[in-house]
Amino acid sequence: MEITFLGVVFAVIIVLLAIGRPLYQAIAGGMIVTAGLFHIPVTVIVTKIASVIINWSSLSVLLSLYLITFLQRIESRSQIRLAQQDLNGIFHNRRINTAGAAFFIGLLPSAASMILCADIVKDATEGYLDPKEQAFTASWFRHIPESVLPTYTAVLLMSNLSGVEISEFILYMIVPVLALAGLGYAVYLHRIPNDTGTPASTNRLADFAHLIQHLWSLLLILILILVFHFQVVTSVLVSIALCIIIYRVTLDEIRKFIFAAFEKKMLGNTFLVLCLKELIAHTGVLLLLPDAMAKLPLPTYLIFGLLFFTATVISGSTGAIAMGTPLAFAAIPGGAPLMAYLMCMAHAASQISPTHVCLVVAADYFHVTLGDIVKKTLPVSIAFCVLMTLYYNVIKL
Protein backbone atom coordinates (compact mmCIF):
# COMPACT_ATOMS: atom_id res chain seq x y z
CA MET A 1 0.00 0.00 0.00
CA GLU A 2 2.84 2.40 0.84
CA ILE A 3 4.34 1.94 -2.64
CA THR A 4 0.92 2.73 -4.13
CA PHE A 5 0.80 5.88 -2.02
CA LEU A 6 4.20 6.87 -3.37
CA GLY A 7 2.91 6.40 -6.91
CA VAL A 8 0.02 8.72 -6.09
CA VAL A 9 2.46 11.38 -4.81
CA PHE A 10 4.43 11.37 -8.04
CA ALA A 11 1.23 11.25 -10.10
CA VAL A 12 0.07 14.44 -8.37
CA ILE A 13 3.36 16.17 -9.17
CA ILE A 14 3.22 15.04 -12.81
CA VAL A 15 -0.42 16.12 -13.23
CA LEU A 16 0.20 19.55 -11.72
CA LEU A 17 3.18 20.08 -14.03
CA ALA A 18 1.20 18.80 -17.01
CA ILE A 19 -1.60 21.33 -16.49
CA GLY A 20 0.94 24.14 -16.37
CA ARG A 21 1.22 24.81 -12.66
CA PRO A 22 4.55 26.29 -11.47
CA LEU A 23 7.14 23.89 -10.09
CA TYR A 24 6.80 25.17 -6.53
CA GLN A 25 3.07 24.39 -6.59
CA ALA A 26 3.68 20.88 -7.95
CA ILE A 27 6.32 20.09 -5.34
CA ALA A 28 4.25 21.65 -2.55
CA GLY A 29 1.30 19.56 -3.71
CA GLY A 30 3.47 16.45 -3.58
CA MET A 31 4.53 17.32 -0.03
CA ILE A 32 0.93 17.81 1.09
CA VAL A 33 -0.18 14.50 -0.43
CA THR A 34 2.85 12.72 1.10
CA ALA A 35 2.03 14.08 4.55
CA GLY A 36 -1.64 13.12 4.19
CA LEU A 37 -1.25 9.61 2.78
CA PHE A 38 1.54 8.60 5.15
CA HIS A 39 -0.04 10.35 8.17
CA ILE A 40 3.07 12.36 8.97
CA PRO A 41 2.48 14.51 12.09
CA VAL A 42 2.78 18.27 11.76
CA THR A 43 5.64 18.29 14.26
CA VAL A 44 7.60 15.85 12.10
CA ILE A 45 6.89 17.90 8.96
CA VAL A 46 8.20 21.03 10.66
CA THR A 47 11.27 19.15 11.89
CA LYS A 48 12.04 17.77 8.44
CA ILE A 49 11.63 21.17 6.78
CA ALA A 50 13.84 22.75 9.43
CA SER A 51 16.48 20.06 8.87
CA VAL A 52 16.98 21.33 5.31
CA ILE A 53 18.33 24.53 6.83
CA ILE A 54 20.01 22.98 9.86
CA ASN A 55 21.81 20.07 8.15
CA TRP A 56 24.92 21.16 6.29
CA SER A 57 24.45 18.60 3.50
CA SER A 58 21.28 20.33 2.30
CA LEU A 59 22.11 23.87 3.41
CA SER A 60 25.35 23.73 1.43
CA VAL A 61 23.34 23.08 -1.75
CA LEU A 62 21.33 26.27 -1.26
CA LEU A 63 24.36 28.26 -0.19
CA SER A 64 26.48 27.12 -3.13
CA LEU A 65 23.70 28.08 -5.55
CA TYR A 66 23.60 31.56 -4.04
CA LEU A 67 27.38 31.98 -4.03
CA ILE A 68 27.80 30.85 -7.64
CA THR A 69 25.13 33.34 -8.66
CA PHE A 70 26.97 36.01 -6.64
CA LEU A 71 30.21 35.11 -8.43
CA GLN A 72 28.44 35.49 -11.77
CA ARG A 73 27.23 38.93 -10.81
CA ILE A 74 30.82 39.99 -10.14
CA GLU A 75 32.17 38.70 -13.42
CA SER A 76 29.05 39.32 -15.50
CA ARG A 77 28.17 37.24 -18.57
CA SER A 78 30.93 38.90 -20.57
CA GLN A 79 33.43 36.40 -19.18
CA ILE A 80 31.31 33.50 -20.43
CA ARG A 81 31.01 35.07 -23.87
CA LEU A 82 34.74 35.65 -24.04
CA ALA A 83 35.37 32.05 -22.97
CA GLN A 84 33.03 30.91 -25.74
CA GLN A 85 35.07 32.91 -28.25
CA ASP A 86 38.24 31.29 -26.92
CA LEU A 87 36.74 27.83 -27.39
CA ASN A 88 35.74 28.78 -30.93
CA GLY A 89 39.35 29.69 -31.59
CA ILE A 90 40.79 26.51 -30.07
CA PHE A 91 38.45 23.94 -31.65
CA HIS A 92 36.56 25.96 -34.26
CA ASN A 93 33.69 23.51 -33.80
CA ARG A 94 30.43 24.60 -32.19
CA ARG A 95 29.42 21.03 -31.27
CA ILE A 96 32.69 20.31 -29.48
CA ASN A 97 32.47 23.66 -27.71
CA THR A 98 28.96 22.92 -26.43
CA ALA A 99 29.54 19.36 -25.25
CA GLY A 100 33.11 19.92 -24.07
CA ALA A 101 32.32 23.01 -22.04
CA ALA A 102 29.33 21.33 -20.38
CA PHE A 103 31.42 18.23 -19.63
CA PHE A 104 34.22 20.37 -18.21
CA ILE A 105 31.88 22.30 -15.93
CA GLY A 106 30.44 18.95 -14.83
CA LEU A 107 33.73 18.34 -13.05
CA LEU A 108 32.44 20.77 -10.44
CA PRO A 109 30.38 18.66 -8.00
CA SER A 110 27.73 21.27 -7.30
CA ALA A 111 24.21 21.93 -8.53
CA ALA A 112 25.26 25.57 -8.90
CA SER A 113 27.55 24.59 -11.79
CA MET A 114 24.35 24.06 -13.79
CA ILE A 115 24.07 27.85 -14.02
CA LEU A 116 27.54 28.19 -15.52
CA CYS A 117 26.89 25.32 -17.91
CA ALA A 118 23.57 26.79 -19.01
CA ASP A 119 25.28 30.09 -19.82
CA ILE A 120 27.70 28.46 -22.25
CA VAL A 121 25.15 26.09 -23.82
CA LYS A 122 22.71 28.95 -24.37
CA ASP A 123 25.35 31.06 -26.10
CA ALA A 124 26.51 28.17 -28.29
CA THR A 125 23.07 26.90 -29.32
CA GLU A 126 20.96 30.07 -29.49
CA GLY A 127 19.02 30.08 -32.75
CA TYR A 128 19.58 26.35 -33.33
CA LEU A 129 17.83 24.74 -30.35
CA ASP A 130 14.70 25.88 -28.53
CA PRO A 131 14.80 26.45 -24.73
CA LYS A 132 13.56 22.92 -23.94
CA GLU A 133 16.25 21.39 -26.12
CA GLN A 134 18.87 23.71 -24.64
CA ALA A 135 17.84 22.65 -21.12
CA PHE A 136 18.17 18.98 -22.05
CA THR A 137 21.57 19.52 -23.70
CA ALA A 138 22.97 21.48 -20.76
CA SER A 139 21.72 18.96 -18.21
CA TRP A 140 22.65 15.81 -20.15
CA PHE A 141 26.25 16.73 -20.96
CA ARG A 142 26.91 18.48 -17.64
CA HIS A 143 26.00 15.30 -15.76
CA ILE A 144 28.17 12.84 -17.68
CA PRO A 145 31.13 13.25 -15.28
CA GLU A 146 28.77 12.58 -12.37
CA SER A 147 28.34 9.00 -13.54
CA VAL A 148 32.02 8.11 -13.18
CA LEU A 149 34.15 10.57 -11.20
CA PRO A 150 35.05 9.89 -7.55
CA THR A 151 34.50 13.58 -6.78
CA TYR A 152 30.80 12.70 -6.52
CA THR A 153 29.23 11.14 -3.44
CA ALA A 154 27.35 8.44 -5.36
CA VAL A 155 30.53 6.96 -6.86
CA LEU A 156 32.46 7.06 -3.59
CA LEU A 157 29.56 5.56 -1.64
CA MET A 158 28.99 2.66 -4.03
CA SER A 159 32.71 1.93 -4.22
CA ASN A 160 32.89 1.83 -0.43
CA LEU A 161 29.83 -0.41 -0.03
CA SER A 162 30.73 -2.78 -2.87
CA GLY A 163 34.47 -3.01 -2.24
CA VAL A 164 35.21 -2.28 -5.90
CA GLU A 165 38.33 -0.23 -6.64
CA ILE A 166 37.64 3.14 -8.25
CA SER A 167 40.29 2.58 -10.92
CA GLU A 168 38.67 -0.70 -12.00
CA PHE A 169 35.21 0.88 -11.99
CA ILE A 170 36.39 3.79 -14.20
CA LEU A 171 37.79 1.31 -16.73
CA TYR A 172 34.39 -0.33 -17.13
CA MET A 173 32.71 3.10 -17.37
CA ILE A 174 34.56 4.17 -20.53
CA VAL A 175 31.90 2.65 -22.78
CA PRO A 176 28.96 4.09 -20.78
CA VAL A 177 30.51 7.57 -20.87
CA LEU A 178 30.93 7.31 -24.65
CA ALA A 179 27.34 6.07 -24.89
CA LEU A 180 26.06 9.05 -22.90
CA ALA A 181 27.95 11.46 -25.16
CA GLY A 182 26.80 9.63 -28.28
CA LEU A 183 23.14 9.68 -27.28
CA GLY A 184 23.30 13.38 -26.44
CA TYR A 185 24.90 14.06 -29.81
CA ALA A 186 22.39 11.94 -31.74
CA VAL A 187 19.35 13.61 -30.17
CA TYR A 188 20.06 17.34 -30.51
CA LEU A 189 23.74 18.21 -30.74
CA HIS A 190 24.02 17.02 -34.35
CA ARG A 191 21.58 19.77 -35.34
CA ILE A 192 24.04 22.46 -34.32
CA PRO A 193 26.35 23.47 -37.19
CA ASN A 194 30.03 22.74 -36.78
CA ASP A 195 30.90 26.17 -38.09
CA THR A 196 31.20 28.75 -35.33
CA GLY A 197 30.66 31.67 -37.67
CA THR A 198 34.01 33.14 -36.69
CA PRO A 199 37.40 33.08 -38.42
CA ALA A 200 39.69 30.17 -37.64
CA SER A 201 42.29 30.84 -34.98
CA THR A 202 45.74 31.98 -36.02
CA ASN A 203 47.19 31.30 -32.56
CA ARG A 204 45.56 28.48 -30.61
CA LEU A 205 48.08 28.78 -27.79
CA ALA A 206 47.06 32.40 -27.24
CA ASP A 207 43.38 31.40 -27.34
CA PHE A 208 44.05 28.75 -24.70
CA ALA A 209 45.80 31.32 -22.50
CA HIS A 210 42.82 33.64 -22.90
CA LEU A 211 40.45 30.80 -22.00
CA ILE A 212 42.33 30.28 -18.73
CA GLN A 213 42.19 34.02 -18.12
CA HIS A 214 38.43 34.18 -18.66
CA LEU A 215 37.61 31.03 -16.67
CA TRP A 216 40.22 31.32 -13.93
CA SER A 217 37.63 31.70 -11.16
CA LEU A 218 35.92 28.44 -12.18
CA LEU A 219 39.26 26.68 -12.64
CA LEU A 220 40.30 27.80 -9.16
CA ILE A 221 37.14 26.29 -7.69
CA LEU A 222 37.81 23.00 -9.48
CA ILE A 223 41.44 22.88 -8.33
CA LEU A 224 40.51 23.61 -4.73
CA ILE A 225 37.92 20.81 -4.79
CA LEU A 226 39.74 18.15 -6.81
CA VAL A 227 43.31 18.72 -5.63
CA PHE A 228 43.02 20.24 -2.18
CA HIS A 229 39.66 18.63 -1.25
CA PHE A 230 37.97 21.89 -0.25
CA GLN A 231 34.21 21.90 0.14
CA VAL A 232 32.26 23.57 -2.65
CA VAL A 233 31.09 26.48 -0.51
CA THR A 234 34.60 27.19 0.76
CA SER A 235 36.04 27.01 -2.75
CA VAL A 236 33.52 29.46 -4.15
CA LEU A 237 34.09 31.85 -1.24
CA VAL A 238 37.83 31.85 -1.95
CA SER A 239 37.16 32.56 -5.63
CA ILE A 240 34.75 35.37 -4.76
CA ALA A 241 37.27 36.96 -2.39
CA LEU A 242 39.96 36.96 -5.08
CA CYS A 243 37.54 38.33 -7.68
CA ILE A 244 36.64 41.20 -5.37
CA ILE A 245 40.34 42.05 -5.02
CA ILE A 246 41.36 41.52 -8.66
CA TYR A 247 38.34 43.27 -10.18
CA ARG A 248 38.42 46.00 -7.49
CA VAL A 249 34.78 45.58 -6.59
CA THR A 250 33.47 48.44 -4.45
CA LEU A 251 31.36 48.11 -1.30
CA ASP A 252 28.38 49.60 -3.11
CA GLU A 253 28.73 46.97 -5.85
CA ILE A 254 29.01 44.20 -3.26
CA ARG A 255 25.81 45.37 -1.58
CA LYS A 256 24.07 45.40 -4.96
CA PHE A 257 25.33 41.90 -5.81
CA ILE A 258 24.22 40.52 -2.44
CA PHE A 259 20.60 41.31 -3.30
CA ALA A 260 20.89 40.62 -7.04
CA ALA A 261 22.29 37.13 -6.40
CA PHE A 262 19.25 36.12 -4.37
CA GLU A 263 17.25 34.34 -7.05
CA LYS A 264 14.06 33.74 -5.10
CA LYS A 265 12.44 31.40 -7.63
CA MET A 266 15.48 29.15 -8.06
CA LEU A 267 16.33 29.01 -4.36
CA GLY A 268 12.69 28.56 -3.35
CA ASN A 269 12.12 25.68 -5.78
CA THR A 270 15.36 24.02 -4.70
CA PHE A 271 14.38 24.34 -1.04
CA LEU A 272 11.02 22.66 -1.69
CA VAL A 273 12.65 19.80 -3.59
CA LEU A 274 14.99 19.20 -0.65
CA CYS A 275 12.01 19.25 1.72
CA LEU A 276 10.16 16.69 -0.42
CA LYS A 277 13.20 14.39 -0.33
CA GLU A 278 13.25 14.61 3.47
CA LEU A 279 9.56 13.68 3.75
CA ILE A 280 9.91 10.74 1.35
CA ALA A 281 12.96 9.48 3.23
CA HIS A 282 10.95 9.68 6.47
CA THR A 283 8.22 7.41 5.10
CA GLY A 284 10.69 4.52 4.78
CA VAL A 285 9.04 3.42 1.55
CA LEU A 286 12.42 2.81 -0.10
CA LEU A 287 13.00 -0.09 2.28
CA LEU A 288 9.94 -1.82 0.83
CA LEU A 289 11.11 -1.70 -2.77
CA PRO A 290 13.50 -4.72 -2.71
CA ASP A 291 10.77 -7.13 -1.62
CA ALA A 292 8.35 -5.71 -4.18
CA MET A 293 10.91 -5.96 -6.97
CA ALA A 294 11.90 -9.51 -5.98
CA LYS A 295 8.43 -10.72 -6.99
CA LEU A 296 9.03 -9.79 -10.62
CA PRO A 297 9.77 -12.72 -13.02
CA LEU A 298 13.08 -11.23 -14.14
CA PRO A 299 16.80 -12.06 -13.85
CA THR A 300 18.30 -10.99 -10.54
CA TYR A 301 20.65 -8.41 -12.06
CA LEU A 302 17.75 -6.78 -13.92
CA ILE A 303 15.64 -6.67 -10.77
CA PHE A 304 18.40 -4.77 -9.00
CA GLY A 305 18.84 -2.52 -12.04
CA LEU A 306 15.15 -1.62 -11.90
CA LEU A 307 15.42 -1.20 -8.13
CA PHE A 308 18.25 1.31 -8.52
CA PHE A 309 16.36 3.11 -11.29
CA THR A 310 13.10 3.34 -9.34
CA ALA A 311 14.67 4.30 -6.03
CA THR A 312 16.77 7.01 -7.70
CA VAL A 313 13.73 8.56 -9.38
CA ILE A 314 12.05 8.66 -5.97
CA SER A 315 14.77 10.05 -3.75
CA GLY A 316 18.01 10.47 -5.69
CA SER A 317 20.99 8.20 -6.29
CA THR A 318 22.50 8.45 -2.79
CA GLY A 319 19.50 6.82 -1.12
CA ALA A 320 19.22 4.15 -3.81
CA ILE A 321 22.91 3.28 -3.54
CA ALA A 322 22.92 3.21 0.25
CA MET A 323 19.92 0.89 0.30
CA GLY A 324 20.56 -1.33 -2.71
CA THR A 325 24.32 -1.83 -2.99
CA PRO A 326 24.78 -4.21 -0.02
CA LEU A 327 21.78 -6.25 -1.18
CA ALA A 328 22.92 -6.40 -4.82
CA PHE A 329 26.48 -7.48 -4.08
CA ALA A 330 25.29 -10.05 -1.57
CA ALA A 331 22.99 -11.57 -4.19
CA ILE A 332 25.28 -11.31 -7.24
CA PRO A 333 29.07 -11.82 -7.31
CA GLY A 334 29.35 -8.97 -9.78
CA GLY A 335 32.45 -6.92 -8.95
CA ALA A 336 33.23 -3.88 -11.12
CA PRO A 337 30.87 -4.88 -13.99
CA LEU A 338 27.91 -4.94 -11.59
CA MET A 339 28.91 -1.62 -10.03
CA ALA A 340 29.16 -0.04 -13.49
CA TYR A 341 25.74 -1.39 -14.49
CA LEU A 342 23.97 -0.26 -11.32
CA MET A 343 25.63 3.15 -11.48
CA CYS A 344 24.43 3.54 -15.06
CA MET A 345 20.86 2.71 -14.06
CA ALA A 346 20.98 5.18 -11.17
CA HIS A 347 22.52 7.85 -13.40
CA ALA A 348 19.84 7.45 -16.07
CA ALA A 349 17.11 7.71 -13.44
CA SER A 350 18.63 10.81 -11.85
CA GLN A 351 18.19 12.68 -15.14
CA ILE A 352 14.40 12.42 -14.85
CA SER A 353 13.95 12.58 -11.08
CA PRO A 354 11.80 15.45 -9.75
CA THR A 355 14.03 15.45 -6.66
CA HIS A 356 17.15 16.22 -8.74
CA VAL A 357 18.09 19.78 -7.84
CA CYS A 358 20.06 20.40 -11.07
CA LEU A 359 16.93 19.87 -13.15
CA VAL A 360 15.18 22.54 -11.11
CA VAL A 361 18.05 24.96 -11.75
CA ALA A 362 18.05 24.20 -15.49
CA ALA A 363 14.28 24.63 -15.73
CA ASP A 364 14.44 28.00 -14.00
CA TYR A 365 17.36 29.19 -16.13
CA PHE A 366 15.79 28.33 -19.49
CA HIS A 367 12.26 29.32 -18.36
CA VAL A 368 10.78 25.89 -19.04
CA THR A 369 9.02 23.45 -16.75
CA LEU A 370 10.55 20.46 -15.04
CA GLY A 371 8.07 18.38 -17.00
CA ASP A 372 9.48 19.74 -20.25
CA ILE A 373 12.97 18.53 -19.33
CA VAL A 374 11.69 15.13 -18.22
CA LYS A 375 9.79 14.66 -21.50
CA LYS A 376 12.92 15.42 -23.49
CA THR A 377 15.13 13.24 -21.31
CA LEU A 378 12.97 10.16 -20.62
CA PRO A 379 13.36 8.46 -24.04
CA VAL A 380 17.12 9.04 -24.00
CA SER A 381 17.46 7.71 -20.44
CA ILE A 382 15.49 4.59 -21.33
CA ALA A 383 17.63 4.05 -24.44
CA PHE A 384 20.74 4.35 -22.28
CA CYS A 385 19.38 1.78 -19.81
CA VAL A 386 18.68 -0.68 -22.62
CA LEU A 387 22.18 -0.23 -24.04
CA MET A 388 23.78 -0.65 -20.62
CA THR A 389 21.78 -3.80 -19.92
CA LEU A 390 23.17 -5.28 -23.13
CA TYR A 391 26.64 -3.99 -22.20
CA TYR A 392 26.45 -5.64 -18.77
CA ASN A 393 25.57 -9.00 -20.31
CA VAL A 394 28.77 -8.73 -22.35
CA ILE A 395 31.20 -7.58 -19.64
CA LYS A 396 29.93 -9.92 -16.92
CA LEU A 397 31.05 -13.00 -18.86
Side-chain angles (χ1 to χ4, degrees):
M1 183 61 71
E2 287 87 350
I3 294 177
T4 302
F5 287 164
L6 188 64
V8 172
V9 170
F10 278 87
V12 168
I13 295 173
I14 292 169
V15 169
L16 288 173
L17 290 173
I19 63 176
R21 304 315 304 168
L23 178 61
Y24 77 89
Q25 292 183 13
I27 298 300
M31 291 172 60
I32 292 170
V33 174
T34 300
L37 292 177
F38 290 95
H39 304 292
I40 303 176
V42 175
T43 53
V44 174
I45 296 173
V46 172
T47 300
K48 293 299 178 184
I49 292 175
S51 69
V52 174
I53 298 298
I54 296 172
N55 294 338
W56 177 248
S57 59
S58 53
L59 176 60
S60 63
V61 173
L62 297 170
L63 192 55
S64 63
L65 282 172
Y66 173 79
L67 291 175
I68 287 288
T69 307
F70 186 92
L71 179 62
Q72 281 186 299
R73 294 295 184 272
I74 294 177
E75 293 195 327
S76 79
R77 279 177 54 85
S78 61
Q79 296 296 318
I80 294 296
R81 291 196 183 97
L82 290 171
Q84 189 69 50
Q85 293 174 14
D86 299 331
L87 288 170
N88 288 342
I90 295 170
F91 298 109
H92 202 60
N93 187 308
R94 190 185 296 268
R95 297 173 186 173
I96 293 178
N97 294 351
T98 304
F103 187 94
F104 172 76
I105 292 174
L107 297 174
L108 178 61
S110 167
S113 66
M114 192 71 248
I115 305 171
L116 302 172
C117 180
D119 272 342
I120 291 181
V121 170
K122 182 176 176 63
D123 281 344
T125 63
E126 195 69 19
Y128 302 103
L129 300 180
D130 65 34
K132 297 176 185 178
E133 295 164 345
Q134 289 176 328
F136 165 84
T137 301
S139 177
W140 187 264
F141 282 98
R142 174 257 177 267
H143 285 106
I144 291 177
E146 191 170 308
S147 68
V148 63
L149 292 183
T151 51
Y152 286 92
T153 303
V155 175
L156 289 174
L157 181 60
M158 189 181 288
S159 175
N160 179 267
L161 292 174
S162 66
V164 174
E165 292 291 334
I166 291 292
S167 57
E168 189 179 4
F169 163 73
I170 291 176
L171 181 64
Y172 279 100
M173 285 299 292
I174 293 175
V175 171
V177 166
L178 293 175
L180 287 168
L183 286 169
Y185 177 88
V187 177
Y188 295 121
L189 202 61
H190 75 280
R191 288 168 39 188
I192 305 171
N194 281 327
D195 185 18
T196 61
T198 58
S201 174
T202 57
N203 190 338
R204 282 186 167 83
L205 186 60
D207 287 329
F208 181 77
H210 291 150
L211 179 65
I212 300 298
Q213 177 185 344
H214 296 139
L215 292 180
W216 72 266
S217 58
L218 173 59
L219 290 170
L220 175 62
I221 294 171
L222 289 172
I223 291 171
L224 291 175
I225 292 172
L226 299 177
V227 178
F228 297 100
H229 307 294
F230 278 38
Q231 291 189 344
V232 173
V233 170
T234 307
S235 303
V236 179
L237 282 172
V238 171
S239 186
I240 287 174
L242 289 176
C243 282
I244 289 173
I245 296 171
I246 293 171
Y247 298 138
R248 298 180 180 180
V249 182
T250 66
L251 288 176
D252 286 340
E253 287 176 320
I254 291 175
R255 280 194 288 267
K256 181 180 70 175
F257 295 150
I258 287 174
F259 292 103
F262 192 81
E263 297 279 356
K264 291 184 288 186
K265 182 180 178 182
M266 179 177 65
L267 291 173
N269 285 340
T270 303
F271 174 76
L272 287 175
V273 167
L274 293 171
C275 291
L276 177 62
K277 288 180 68 174
E278 288 291 330
L279 290 183
I280 290 176
H282 173 76
T283 65
V285 70
L286 287 181
L287 300 176
L288 303 176
L289 287 178
D291 288 339
M293 293 288 186
K295 298 176 182 177
L296 298 175
L298 298 170
T300 305
Y301 78 87
L302 189 54
I303 289 175
F304 278 107
L306 293 174
L307 172 63
F308 271 67
F309 187 94
T310 305
T312 299
V313 169
I314 294 169
S315 69
S317 59
T318 302
I321 289 168
M323 172 196 67
T325 303
L327 296 174
F329 278 81
I332 309 170
L338 180 60
M339 178 178 172
Y341 174 63
L342 296 178
M343 183 61 71
C344 288
M345 298 297 282
H347 179 78
S350 70
Q351 304 313 300
I352 59 171
S353 172
T355 62
H356 189 170
V357 173
C358 290
L359 302 188
V360 176
V361 176
D364 285 341
Y365 182 93
F366 288 103
H367 305 294
V368 299
T369 68
L370 183 62
D372 290 331
I373 298 179
V374 171
K375 287 177 186 177
K376 293 291 184 184
T377 308
L378 181 59
V380 192
S381 286
I382 292 176
F384 178 68
C385 288
V386 172
L387 289 174
M388 291 305 100
T389 299
L390 297 174
Y391 174 64
Y392 173 70
N393 278 279
V394 172
I395 62 176
K396 73 175 183 177
L397 299 177

